[in-house]
Amino acid sequence: MSARRVLVTGASRGVGRAVAAAFAAAGDRVAVHHRDSADLAESLRAELPGSGHVVVRADLADPDAVAAMVDAAADGLGGLDVLVNNAGQAYPHPIGDVSYEQWQQAWARTLAVNLTGPANVTWCAVRHMLARPDGFPPGRIVNVGSRGAYRGEPGQPAYGAAKAGLHAMGQSLAVALAPHGISVATVAPGYVLEDPSNAAYKVPRGSEHAAQSPFGRVARPDEVAAAVLWLASPEAEWASGAVLDLNGASHLR
């Protein structure tokens, strides 16, 4: 299969960084998206095997910036075949501990980054996928959701709600885009091990996190990346509409 053109949002850190590396290792060309971590994004681009990778920037809460970012990714890669909606952010807002104003702000920002933002990225990316001539690899969209959509997020309920919405959006678009040869699937990780690129943005994974899984540990970023890579493969078309739990049996639906 020829090299695919892949856009990974939130690719400068953590899971997104591992996802970008996995696609590049498979011979694909990657657009590394970031919001405010240009140095990390550029260091990743320099580390990726192969050539033709690009760095793009946008705050996903800004619809105009999203449109410009997706166009820049498609221009830099010569089109888009695969979109990975990985970028996301949680903002703690326990209902008993925040003001009404803080509650509204947390919900607005969380939904903008974790649900509306990916929806806008997807709309823009699909326009490029539909414009591809025949003969290109099949289109693929993979969303990175969360176990929290099912288990609940008591300290950050907007995050759980946004990820549940992302799962549902993926299933709706799986039906809408199948006639165009584009499959859509979602992974729902639990806790993922922090790495040097994102340790400052995560609560350190302690024994209480590891104990949630009978394996006695949390996920590695590369394990999530491996699942995303498979769901984006031609062989995974029949998984369109699926939400794949990646939580080490820590939460069973």
Side-chain angles (χ1 to χ4, degrees):
M1 183 176 67
S2 60
R4 296 172 297 178
R5 293 80 55 87
V6 184
L7 169 58
V8 182
T9 66
S12 65
R13 297 185 173 95
V15 168
R17 195 175 185 95
V19 168
F23 277 103
D28 298 322
R29 292 189 292 128
V30 181
V32 176
H33 160 263
H34 72 98
R35 183 186 66 185
D36 55 9
S37 51
D39 290 347
L40 279 173
E42 287 292 349
S43 71
L44 173 60
R45 185 191 61 78
E47 295 169 4
L48 294 177
S51 60
H53 311 298
V54 299
V55 171
V56 292
R57 182 197 174 278
D59 181 346
L60 296 194
D62 181 340
D64 292 334
V66 164
M69 179 271 291
V70 175
D71 285 348
D75 289 344
L77 299 176
L80 287 177
D81 304 303
V82 179
L83 166 65
V84 181
N85 279 313
N86 166 77
Q89 184 69 50
Y91 307 94
H93 50 283
I95 191 168
D97 298 338
V98 297
S99 69
Y100 187 38
E101 181 181 10
Q102 291 170 326
W103 176 260
Q104 294 175 70
Q105 291 171 346
W107 274 86
R109 179 65 182 175
T110 301
L111 291 174
V113 173
N114 295 280
L115 181 56
T116 310
N120 290 339
V121 173
T122 301
W123 188 95
C124 295
V126 165
R127 288 300 172 277
H128 289 284
M129 292 181 184
L130 294 177
R132 301 173 312 153
D134 293 338
F136 278 81
R140 296 288 184 262
I141 298 170
V142 183
N143 300 313
V144 179
S146 173
R147 173 187 68 171
Y150 302 114
R151 194 187 68 154
E153 294 284 354
Q156 44 203 15
Y159 180 77
K163 290 299 188 180
L166 186 66
H167 296 181
M169 182 190 83
Q171 292 181 318
S172 295
L173 294 181
V175 178
L177 294 173
H180 302 285
I182 301 172
S183 75
V184 186
T186 302
V187 295
Y191 284 118
V192 180
L193 187 68
E194 70 274 12
D195 60 36
S197 72
N198 70 345
Y201 290 79
K202 286 184 176 291
V203 175
R205 303 313 190 204
S207 58
E208 69 276 14
H209 300 109
Q212 292 181 11
S213 166
F215 290 99
R217 65 177 181 86
V218 299
R220 302 187 309 271
D222 64 279
E223 292 176 305
V224 181
V228 171
L229 188 66
W230 179 76
L231 287 170
S233 70
E235 295 80 9
E237 184 167 270
W238 223 237
S240 191
V243 179
L244 176 61
D245 291 329
L246 291 171
N247 64 54
S250 65
H251 181 74
L252 304 177
R253 292 190 278 143

